[in-house]
Amino acid sequence: MSSKKKTATSGSKKRTAGKEKTPDVVIVSSEAWPWVKTGGLADVAGALPRAMAQAGARVRLFVPLYKSIDRKKFKIPSRGGVKFRVPVSARIMEGTAHMISPSDNLEVWFIEQEQYFGREGVYLDPTGHDYPDNLERFAFFSRAVLETLIASGQPPDIIHCNDWQTGMIPAYLKTIYAGVPFFKNTGSLITIHNMGYQGRFHPSQWHLLGISWDHFHPGGLECYGHINLLKGGLIHADIITTVSPTYSQEILTPDGGFGLDGLLLHRVDRLHGVLNGIDTQEWNPATDQLIPHNFNRSDMAGKALCKTELLRNMRLDRGEGPLMAVVSRLADGKGMELLADCLDPMLAKGAQFLLLGSGDKALEQRFKQLAVSWPGQVSVTIGYDEALSHSIQAGSDMLLVPSRYEPCGLTQMYALAYGTAPLVRATGGLNDTVRQYDRATGEGNGFKFDEYSKEALLAKALEGIEFYLTDRRNWNKMVKMGMGEDNSWGRSARKYFSLYRLASSSGGK
Ligand code: ADP
Ligand code: GLC
């Protein structure tokens, strides 16, 4: 994007916080809570726009209108809307963008296109495989956002993209839309939520992207012979962010970069780590409607009642040891194999274990087997259950997140807010949000181990179990300290505002 000057757009008077003008922001995500969620990206894309709108920015969030989205419940219009057309290879695909406005300054735009999004899954078919036309679906979505913006007539200051599904937006802005006057003052930022998912596709699908073959080379969108949509975003975005400061360093290494570390090192002056926050409206034990009893730092009685109810519902006995929980996708990187290897000695020390998760079939099977071997002490629920995830955070004593890598991680922050001590590996955002408790000084909010090994995880788990069993007074102090920490979005939303200014003024090279 060459020499850009900022121009004020609609509502700019209202959108001034302090001295700086708050930006006109478009956020694009393939999922957003409460409309559609498969993981933490949805939590972020649901909460961040709201936090920014509350801070005075004008925010438009774009998501695909999947079949699973309850149109009636969310009052998404079924008529009208903004019609647009997107060329896909030799075809012209039509679609409609429908808007709702859940709060002041915030609009949510749903991209409707029956052929691409009118199906059961978000990314996967019912057998758990990626849809073969995911490149086409999300390239269409990316371009549909740009076309809807043009049709609606209001250019944003910034388009904030998330993950590979939206990686084509920065690429389009620098290629086929480069000369479009509408976007001449619009910068782009892409947030990496997980380098493990890059949107890699066979080159035979290139024609669906609508950009010239000139861009299919190692300095462009090609990566080891494949099309790589995340790479498209990383090369062309004005600013790149990761969801925690530690992760912004880890992705510069061969281990963390998943093949893109070289490119990221090349663009390191554009790379920033901005820690995710949590949505304190959705995740607040004092007001949460999804848990059986509310509680807060000065009145913890409700937490004990939540535990009693959770034990009963999960058919667990009341034990002396801590109730240790997992709420996670059972996917590569989450450290679940390591945990399964350590459970027997932890249970032998009196801990109880509760898991809610789904994903890898072999892991699902392994945990189910552990539940059979330890009746009354282990409970395993395979599936996805938002309400149960809240009850688990409220009723457990410890939350285990032993990830091999974790760009940010949200569950450990939910645990902190709910008086549940996190036990994490020192990686990514886990490292940035959890501090090892020091019994000598009373400082720290949980348990943290470094080496990715069964021994290191087990030693830390046994330390936690022993602490819980022998020193409940200080345990309670520790968890109350965690509950008092501010992990809300305010600070990070402001950090993004300053990066948006940088993106818009940086000239894009
Ligand atoms: P990731 O995005 O890598 O899965 P995060 O910790 O950032 O990891 O976010 C996971 C989100 O998904 C959290 O909101 C967590 O509570 C939720 N979650 C994960 N698995 C389940 C499940 N089986 N049921 C309900 N919620 C789940
Ligand atoms: C990804 C990451 C996770 C992060 C989430 C939200 O799914 O795996 O660590 O918390 O995105 O940014």
Side-chain angles (χ1 to χ4, degrees):
M1 208 128 293
S2 58
S3 68
K4 290 190 220 111
K5 275 195 207 147
K6 297 263 46 52
T7 53
T9 51
S10 63
S12 61
K13 263 195 194 145
K14 273 191 201 150
R15 294 183 291 103
T16 21
K19 282 186 203 135
E20 300 283 6
K21 179 177 93 61
T22 50
D24 187 317
V25 186
V26 163
I27 299 182
V28 192
S29 176
S30 56
E31 52 182 277
W33 177 259
W35 303 284
V36 51
K37 167 168 169 177
T38 74
L41 170 61
D43 295 30
V44 172
L48 179 60
R50 203 159 63 205
M52 287 183 175
Q54 272 162 10
R58 177 190 187 210
V59 186
R60 285 172 279 176
L61 167 69
F62 281 79
V63 284
L65 184 59
Y66 301 105
K67 189 176 173 184
S68 63
I69 294 180
D70 189 336
R71 243 179 139 138
K72 239 195 192 148
K73 177 175 162 194
F74 295 118
K75 301 192 172 61
I76 301 168
S78 44
R79 287 163 204 218
V82 173
K83 309 265 181 238
F84 59 83
R85 292 151 66 87
V86 167
V88 177
S89 197
R91 289 163 289 146
I92 295 287
M93 299 299 290
E94 296 184 341
T96 311
H98 298 283
M99 191 269 280
I100 59 172
S101 180
S103 60
D104 282 355
N105 291 346
L106 176 62
E107 293 175 0
V108 184
W109 288 80
F110 296 92
I111 298 293
E112 180 179 32
Q113 215 296 330
E114 176 64 22
Q115 186 179 319
Y116 294 136
F117 305 121
R119 49 178 95 170
E120 287 311 319
V122 174
Y123 314 119
L124 308 178
D125 68 19
T127 67
H129 294 95
D130 287 326
Y131 285 122
D133 59 348
N134 274 347
L135 172 140
E136 185 174 340
R137 297 171 76 219
F138 291 106
F140 167 85
F141 172 56
S142 298
R143 210 161 161 182
V145 171
L146 300 178
E147 290 299 328
T148 304
L149 288 171
I150 293 172
S152 68
Q154 295 159 7
D157 296 324
I158 185 84
I159 304 184
H160 182 157
C161 307
N162 293 279
D163 279 350
W164 69 263
Q165 293 88 346
T166 56
M168 283 309 292
I169 291 180
Y172 284 144
L173 286 173
K174 295 283 167 65
T175 55
I176 45 182
Y177 289 81
V180 175
F182 183 84
F183 289 119
K184 72 177 191 302
N185 295 314
T186 300
S188 67
L189 178 151
I190 187 161
T191 297
I192 304 167
H193 294 261
N194 194 326
M195 288 298 293
Y197 303 88
Q198 297 184 3
R200 292 193 187 92
F201 299 93
H202 193 270
S204 58
Q205 298 196 48
W206 183 265
H207 65 107
L208 299 165
L209 294 177
I211 61 175
S212 143
W213 272 104
D214 293 350
H215 298 278
F216 188 74
H217 59 82
L221 273 70
E222 187 207 329
C223 193
Y224 301 105
H226 278 78
I227 304 168
N228 186 314
L229 296 190
L230 178 63
K231 190 177 177 199
L234 299 183
I235 287 180
H236 293 291
D238 296 322
I239 296 286
I240 302 167
T241 66
T242 59
V243 287
S244 70
T246 296
Y247 195 57
S248 72
Q249 299 303 307
E250 290 172 346
I251 61 172
L252 300 175
T253 66
D255 252 7
F258 288 85
L260 294 180
D261 38 302
L263 161 64
L264 288 162
L265 277 167
H266 184 66
R267 299 216 71 206
V268 74
D269 59 322
R270 300 302 173 118
L271 177 64
H272 301 262
V274 184
L275 190 66
N276 282 339
I278 65 171
D279 188 329
T280 46
Q281 268 179 43
E282 299 280 338
W283 292 94
N284 178 353
T287 52
D288 191 335
Q289 297 297 302
L290 298 175
I291 62 176
H293 303 276
N294 292 117
F295 55 95
N296 59 55
R297 271 181 96 198
S298 42
D299 181 2
M300 295 289 277
K303 182 161 176 80
L305 296 171
C306 284
K307 179 171 179 180
T308 303
E309 198 140 325
L310 183 63
L311 291 172
R312 191 173 55 234
N313 291 342
M314 296 292 108
R315 295 179 211 287
L316 288 168
D317 302 331
R318 177 161 274 288
E320 287 299 303
L323 175 56
M324 302 174 116
V326 165
V327 178
S328 181
R329 293 184 294 118
L330 303 180
D332 183 47
K334 293 288 182 187
M336 290 296 125
E337 308 78 8
L338 216 59
L339 181 61
D341 286 345
C342 294
L343 272 181
D344 285 332
M346 287 158 57
L347 296 163
K349 284 277 180 211
Q352 289 170 292
F353 179 71
L354 173 58
L355 176 138
L356 168 63
S358 63
D360 182 273
K361 297 293 161 214
L363 271 171
E364 289 182 357
Q365 211 37 53
R366 185 141 182 230
F367 281 112
K368 276 200 240 166
Q369 190 50 49
L370 276 157
V372 174
S373 309
W374 294 86
Q377 218 176 327
V378 172
S379 165
V380 170
T381 305
I382 300 300
Y384 186 90
D385 187 335
E386 188 73 22
L388 181 55
S389 75
H390 284 242
S391 292
I392 292 175
Q393 293 284 10
S396 304
D397 300 303
M398 292 177 80
L399 186 88
L400 310 178
V401 197
S403 305
R404 181 163 49 78
Y405 80 99
E406 191 65 70
C408 182
L410 297 167
T411 57
Q412 82 282 8
M413 290 196 262
Y414 300 150
L416 286 169
Y418 282 67
T420 299
L423 186 164
V424 305
R425 193 173 96 73
T427 180
L430 301 175
N431 191 43
D432 296 335
T433 51
V434 177
R435 302 183 314 282
Q436 170 63 39
Y437 183 74
D438 180 342
R439 287 175 87 163
T441 62
E443 167 42 37
N445 58 12
F447 304 91
K448 187 153 83 171
F449 65 100
D450 274 299
E451 188 186 280
Y452 187 72
S453 74
K454 185 177 137 187
E455 291 72 25
L457 166 56
L458 181 58
K460 203 42 77 178
L462 294 179
E463 179 187 319
I465 295 168
E466 204 252 344
F467 183 20
Y468 181 88
L469 285 171
T470 58
D471 192 358
R472 198 66 60 82
R473 229 180 100 244
N474 279 320
W475 178 280
N476 290 338
K477 274 193 188 163
M478 173 183 73
V479 296
K480 281 187 185 177
M481 175 131 65
M483 289 175 85
E485 287 170 5
D486 180 7
N487 283 314
S488 61
W489 268 106
R491 200 178 319 127
S492 296
R494 284 192 297 278
K495 181 103 196 270
Y496 278 119
F497 289 164
S498 66
L499 291 175
Y500 293 163
R501 282 190 283 273
L502 207 59
S504 304
S505 62
S506 62
K509 282 272 143 48

